């Protein structure tokens, strides 16, 4: 599966509207949809995704939302808590994904909603 492909690390982040299962699920789905669409990913290409959430988000596990995606049954998923740094962006979900991508394609790292402030260079079209 690796001919013409390169293993890429993809970063992304989004904020949730509230600390509820529904708000977290909505944010994770929006983030994963953007990551998949902007990088042309299909389930078997994705090897692993590590999610981190700020301490103010504990209503559900982001990985539980990702586990529902078609073709993601073989993806290694992990949740962890983001470091609690004073002044950090509240209700933020970050991810680090590893995926096989076309070696000629540049990875796109989506930073959505308020998380666009974390990486203004990645917001907008990225």
């Amino acid at each position: 599966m690796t001919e013409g492909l390169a293993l890429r690390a993809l970063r992304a982040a989004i904020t949730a509207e509230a600390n509820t299962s529904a708000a977290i699920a909505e944010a994770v789905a929006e983030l994963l949809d953007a990551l998949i669409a902007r990088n042309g990913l299909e389930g078997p290409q994705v090897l692993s995704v590590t999610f981190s959430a700020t301490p103010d988000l504990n209503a559900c596990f982001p990985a539980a939302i990702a586990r529902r995606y078609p073709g993601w049954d073989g993806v290694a998923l992990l949740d962890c808590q983001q470091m609690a740094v004073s002044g950090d962006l509240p209700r933020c979900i970050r991810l680090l994904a590893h995926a096989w991508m076309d070696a000629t394609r540049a990875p796109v790292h989506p930073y959505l909603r308020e998380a666009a402030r974390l990486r203004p260079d990645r917001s907008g079209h990225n």
Side-chain angles (χ1 to χ4, degrees):
M1 173 173 190
T2 59
E3 189 167 329
L5 298 177
L7 182 60
R8 303 282 193 205
L10 302 164
R11 294 279 295 135
I14 194 167
T15 51
E17 295 295 324
N19 182 30
T20 65
S21 294
I24 293 169
E26 178 185 320
V28 170
E30 182 180 335
L31 186 61
L32 291 177
D33 289 347
L35 185 75
I36 291 165
R38 294 178 189 185
N39 288 287
L41 298 175
E42 296 179 14
Q45 291 175 266
V46 182
L47 299 176
S48 66
V49 181
T50 300
F51 292 93
S52 68
T54 50
D56 53 0
L57 292 177
N58 61 8
C60 73
F61 293 106
I65 309 310
R67 196 166 287 115
R68 300 177 193 158
Y69 272 67
W72 281 47
D73 53 326
V75 177
L77 300 168
L78 177 68
D79 290 306
C80 59
Q81 189 176 72
Q82 184 71 25
M83 290 176 49
V85 175
S86 179
D88 192 19
L89 184 63
R91 298 181 316 280
C92 188
I93 301 164
R94 295 170 172 91
L95 69 74
L96 172 63
H98 293 94
W100 290 107
M101 293 178 56
D102 180 321
T104 63
R105 185 175 186 155
V108 179
H109 310 278
Y111 283 75
L112 308 175
R113 300 182 186 180
E114 293 297 314
R117 295 186 330 198
L118 298 173
R119 292 294 306 262
D121 59 319
R122 302 286 185 188
S123 61
H125 70 279
N126 289 350

